[in-house]
Amino acid sequence: RGLDWAQKVAREYGTATLAIRKSSHIAALAAYLEQPARDGFMVQLMCSDPSVAIVAPFGGTEPLVTPNPMSYGIPAKDGPIMIDISASITTSAMTNRLHNSSKTGAHPWWLDSHGSATTDPSVMAGDPPGSLMPLGGMEAGHKGFSLALFVESMTAGLSGHGRADDVNSWGATVYLQLTDCDAFGGLQEYERQMQWLVDRSMANKPANKGVPVRVPGQRALARK
């Protein structure tokens, strides 16, 4: 419903922005990007969950925020670029899958309650619990934590509903913005600029022979 509203408004005014408080679970953000991007809109979509804390701030040991995913749909001539990432180094879904199957992670993606990095996702079920590391890990996690705070500002901040309210019931807080590329430098020029980057990225000499460079969303769209 938000996308339907935003497309109508963005066509008239060039851009449309909304924030949603107490949303239901909106699932994989990338699923919302393709259609508006193919219609010439640049999409920004992100969410947080003020009732859940599983990511500690960089340098800390106590969970404070959610992975705070952010996604971007970018029109390009041969098909959209679709970016869907989190401010944490891994996701809660991946953590639960590994924990439930008694497996460890490929890398130290978690912190135990003392702040030590570990490959063991079961620390999340400890007492006190561990946490997911911010994107960037031990070396550059300040960047991931900064992105998490940005998402909090766009979701909880703009909607006026978040962690400061001592929320104890589940519900996502969502930020959505659509930009009509035609209202700025023109859709044709926008797609030309982005397609140039796509083409040069894919033509870039790969580090591993036989594993070509691809852009975000390319494999998902091909599989679809």
Side-chain angles (χ1 to χ4, degrees), residues 5-10 13-18 176-180:
W5 172 86
Q7 289 181 74
K8 295 182 180 72
V9 173
Y13 297 104
T15 186
T17 305
L18 62 84
L176 170 67
Q177 183 180 78
L178 260 62
T179 301
D180 182 1

Side-chain angles (χ1 to χ4, degrees), residues 75-77 187-197:
K77 186 178 178 181
L187 177 59
Q188 184 174 354
E189 284 302 306
Y190 184 101
E191 290 184 332
R192 184 176 70 89
Q193 294 291 340
M194 300 315 301
Q195 190 62 46
W196 188 94
L197 289 169

Side-chain angles (χ1 to χ4, degrees), residues 4-221:
D4 289 343
W5 172 86
Q7 289 181 74
K8 295 182 180 72
V9 173
R11 284 285 187 231
E12 184 174 357
Y13 297 104
T15 186
T17 305
L18 62 84
I20 307 169
R21 60 169 70 178
K22 300 180 181 178
S23 166
S24 60
H25 183 40
I26 68 172
L29 303 191
Y32 298 91
L33 305 178
E34 181 185 1
Q35 179 266 316
R38 290 193 185 279
D39 289 340
F41 295 100
M42 183 175 67
V43 190
Q44 300 181 65
L45 177 64
M46 53 194 76
C47 72
S48 62
D49 183 351
S51 70
V52 176
I54 55 175
V55 181
F58 183 67
T61 61
E62 299 170 330
L64 177 64
V65 296
T66 32
N68 290 3
M70 61 206 84
S71 65
Y72 308 93
I74 301 172
K77 186 178 178 181
D78 292 345
I81 302 167
M82 301 195 306
I83 301 168
D84 186 355
I85 59 175
S86 293
S88 60
I89 203 167
T90 190
T91 64
S92 54
M94 173 66 77
T95 300
N96 291 334
R97 284 198 298 271
L98 292 172
H99 175 63
N100 292 336
S101 59
S102 300
K103 294 180 179 179
T104 58
H107 303 282
W109 293 330
W110 300 271
L111 297 174
D112 63 22
S113 60
H114 302 291
S116 298
T118 178
T119 60
D120 184 5
S122 67
V123 297
M124 299 294 295
D127 185 18
S131 60
L132 305 184
M133 275 199 275
L135 186 66
M138 299 297 284
E139 295 79 15
H142 60 286
K143 297 181 180 182
F145 180 53
S146 298
L147 289 173
L149 291 178
F150 172 70
V151 172
E152 293 282 335
S153 76
M154 302 298 274
T155 55
L158 289 181
S159 72
H161 176 75
R163 301 179 192 280
D165 301 308
D166 193 25
V167 180
N168 55 21
S169 60
W170 189 92
T173 308
V174 180
Y175 169 86
L176 170 67
Q177 183 180 78
L178 260 62
T179 301
D180 182 1
C181 299
D182 241 352
F184 290 79
L187 177 59
Q188 184 174 354
E189 284 302 306
Y190 184 101
E191 290 184 332
R192 184 176 70 89
Q193 294 291 340
M194 300 315 301
Q195 190 62 46
W196 188 94
L197 289 169
V198 170
D199 293 342
R200 295 307 186 278
S201 296
M202 294 172 62
N204 201 283
K205 183 180 178 181
N208 296 317
K209 190 175 181 180
V211 184
V213 175
R214 63 175 188 258
V215 296
Q218 184 181 26
R219 182 168 178 264
L221 288 173

